[in-house]
Amino acid sequence: MVLVRETVLADWQALRDIRLLALRDAPYAFGSTYEDQVNFGEADWRQRIARGGTFLAYIPQVGASEPAGMIGGYQPGPGPVELVSMFVRAQARGRGVGEALIDAVIGWARHRDAPSVHLWVTETNKHARGLYERCGFSVTAERQPLPSNPALGEIGMIRPLS
Ligand SMILES: CC(C)(COP(=O)(O)OP(=O)(O)OC[C@H]1O[C@@H](n2cnc3c(N)ncnc32)[C@H](O)[C@@H]1OP(=O)(O)O)[C@@H](O)C(=O)NCCC(=O)NCCS
């Protein structure tokens, strides 16, 4: 069983810890780096939470106090919601946590009347890409270098919301 909930301000340390773990564990997957965010203070993490759309996932195998995964939804304007910061810790993978997190962002986007959810995924990240395809995302023609490591390429994916 996977429990997903939106973060509240009191989660700032839990969010910081799993986000920094993600950036250390899977640098190939994110546009930001560990060095970019390791010195963020309490106010920065609280600000991110206050923006809304950040979710944590919990499973019994990891425990009630430590998140098994995280994800973010971000809507820069009235258009698509951007799915960002998807991460599931290694010992929690393959248990449906990723899918539950994506469902949470899709629900959040629907609630905001977004026409679609868009994301960038590193071209070589086959597990993530497979998961997104299972959740209804299709590859677009968009391509860009990964900002944190321009030697890697990112592809755009989109899921329309009807
Ligand atoms: C991508 C990721 C979020 C998937 O989360 P998840 O909860 O394991 O998702 P699923 O349960 O649907 O499994 C996804 C894939 O991982 C595989 N998997 C299963 N158990 C695994 C394990 N112990 N370790 C690694 N991968 C595993 C699954 O077989 C599946 O592979 P497939 O798509 O080739 O069939 C997770 O692997 C992760 O956090 N990776 C590092 C960060 C990242 O890539 N983020 C995406 C940014 S765009």
Side-chain angles (χ1 to χ4, degrees), residues 32-109:
S32 304
T33 65
Y34 177 79
E35 289 70 28
D36 289 335
Q37 299 196 352
V38 68
N39 293 319
F40 277 11
E42 178 177 342
D44 299 300
W45 296 107
R46 282 175 173 268
Q47 194 178 15
R48 180 170 178 152
I49 291 169
R51 186 174 87 188
T54 300
F55 295 85
L56 296 175
Y58 295 84
I59 57 170
Q61 292 86 348
V62 174
S65 57
E66 216 172 25
M70 68 164 291
I71 199 167
Y74 176 59
Q75 193 177 28
V81 158
E82 197 66 28
L83 185 159
V84 296
S85 307
M86 160 73 125
F87 176 73
V88 175
R89 60 173 79 231
Q91 70 269 35
R93 289 182 190 160
R95 296 174 188 271
V97 175
E99 204 172 311
L101 285 164
I102 292 169
D103 280 351
V105 167
I106 288 174
W108 186 80

Side-chain angles (χ1 to χ4, degrees), residues 26 28-30 86-88 93-98 120-121 125 127-128 131-132 134:
Y28 56 84
F30 304 109
M86 160 73 125
F87 176 73
V88 175
R93 289 182 190 160
R95 296 174 188 271
V97 175
W120 290 100
V121 61
N125 193 349
H127 285 318
L131 171 59
Y132 294 136
R134 280 200 301 280

